[in-house]
């Protein structure tokens, strides 16, 4: 019996290390976060909602990051985009089974939750009025969910990979074209990874009537709330 106890104690560190190789959240907790957007009854046609995984500090690599839904009967890989966003699978069976959402990283390296952003267009053309409406819709939703108090819409931001050569232009109603300047920064405010190529469209800096024209689809469009 004493030898058996010593063996168990010797195995504890190895077992603990194996547990730390991944992080997880309860599916039910994630479901409760994601369902807010689904039940939101105000206009949201320009918005999209994802389940997002993001690092707590910039030393944590996103390369090879995988998200899996694990239940008694199912092991489903959930593809992540370049910003750690996944389409959330609403599943009664997973909810009833209290499934887990698992990532292949050590516990505490990442944070997760619902993430609302502006829908991209495949043709790359965005009416200025639509972008203003999209920003207003996102702000209204964040206020509904208890965030963004005291903020207002200042513009939107288009994000691309660091070495992407895409261009973003503003086409005024009268025909004048203005190039938006690219800079390095985070895709979303508060992100620790700040190496994306971003274009900021500030509403006050350009005419109200016009279009934003992008040469390729951005990774994301974020609202600038200030």
């Amino acid at each position: 019996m004493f030898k058996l106890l010593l063996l168990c104690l010797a195995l504890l560190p190895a077992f603990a290390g194996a547990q730390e190789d991944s992080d997880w959240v309860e599916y039910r907790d994630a479901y409760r976060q994601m369902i807010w957007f689904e039940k939101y009854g105000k206009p949201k046609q320009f918005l999209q909602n994802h389940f997002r995984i993001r690092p707590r500090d910039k030393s944590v690599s996103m390369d090879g990051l995988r998200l899996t839904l694990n239940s008694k009967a199912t092991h489903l890989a959930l593809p992540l985009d370049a910003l750690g966003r996944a389409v959330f699978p609403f599943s009664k069976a997973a909810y009833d089974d209290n499934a887990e959402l698992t990532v292949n990283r050590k516990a505490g390296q990442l944070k997760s939750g619902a993430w609302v952003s502006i829908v991209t267009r495949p043709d790359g053309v965005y009416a200025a009025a639509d972008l203003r409406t999209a920003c207003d819709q996102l702000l209204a939703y964040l206020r509904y969910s208890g965030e963004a108090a005291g903020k207002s819409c200042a513009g939107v931001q288009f994000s691309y990979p660091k070495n992407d050569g895409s261009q973003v232009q503003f086409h005024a109603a009268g025909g004048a074209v203005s190039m938006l300047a690219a800079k390095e920064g985070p895709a979303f405010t508060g992100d620790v990874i700040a190496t994306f190529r971003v274009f900021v469209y500030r509403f006050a800096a350009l005419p109200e009537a016009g279009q934003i024209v992008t040469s390729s689809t951005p990774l994301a469009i974020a609202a600038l709330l200030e």
Side-chain angles (χ1 to χ4, degrees):
M1 180 65 73
F2 180 70
K3 289 182 178 180
L4 180 60
L5 176 61
L6 288 178
L7 178 61
C8 290
L9 290 173
L11 289 174
L12 276 176
F15 178 76
Q19 290 294 95
E20 289 177 358
D21 286 341
S22 64
D23 202 356
W24 62 276
V25 296
E26 287 189 3
Y27 177 85
R28 290 177 183 174
D29 289 342
Y31 182 97
R32 293 184 189 106
Q33 293 180 42
M34 298 298 294
I35 203 67
W36 273 79
F37 185 81
E38 301 303 311
K39 292 183 175 181
Y40 181 63
K42 294 184 179 180
K44 57 181 179 183
Q45 75 270 27
F46 293 115
L47 305 181
Q48 59 188 353
N49 190 34
H50 290 95
F51 185 77
R52 189 181 183 211
I53 308 291
R54 52 187 179 136
R56 292 184 180 276
D57 65 72
K58 59 185 178 182
S59 68
V60 179
S61 173
M62 296 285 284
D63 293 340
L65 181 64
R66 296 189 302 274
L67 174 66
T68 308
L69 174 63
N70 297 306
S71 66
K72 293 177 182 177
T74 304
H75 298 282
L76 177 65
L78 304 178
L80 297 168
D81 69 8
L83 300 175
R85 298 177 299 180
V87 175
F88 187 79
F90 287 95
S91 167
K92 183 179 185 300
Y95 189 94
D96 291 343
D97 192 30
N98 197 20
E100 296 177 355
L101 290 163
T102 306
V103 291
N104 58 330
R105 289 294 186 274
K106 291 183 178 180
Q109 289 188 329
L110 304 166
K111 49 188 173 181
S112 63
W115 198 267
V116 180
S117 59
I118 297 170
V119 175
T120 59
R121 289 180 56 89
D123 64 3
V125 179
Y126 303 83
D130 287 347
L131 291 173
R132 289 172 182 265
T133 300
C135 189
D136 287 338
Q137 286 183 359
L138 199 151
L139 178 60
Y141 175 75
L142 290 178
R143 287 175 175 169
Y144 157 81
S145 58
E147 303 175 58
K151 294 186 179 293
S152 60
C153 283
V156 297
Q157 174 181 281
F158 299 80
S159 301
Y160 290 89
K162 182 178 181 179
N163 297 318
D164 190 282
S166 298
Q167 300 295 325
V168 180
Q169 302 174 341
F170 180 83
H171 292 224
V177 176
S178 302
M179 300 287 294
L180 298 188
K183 64 177 183 178
E184 190 173 277
F188 297 103
T189 300
D191 283 2
V192 296
I193 298 176
T195 56
F196 294 96
R197 189 165 181 257
V198 300
F199 297 84
V200 174
Y201 165 40
R202 288 192 170 274
F203 299 146
L206 291 163
E208 188 170 341
Q211 294 178 326
I212 289 288
V213 179
T214 63
S215 60
S216 67
T217 304
L219 295 174
I221 305 176
L224 297 179
L225 306 178
E226 298 175 350

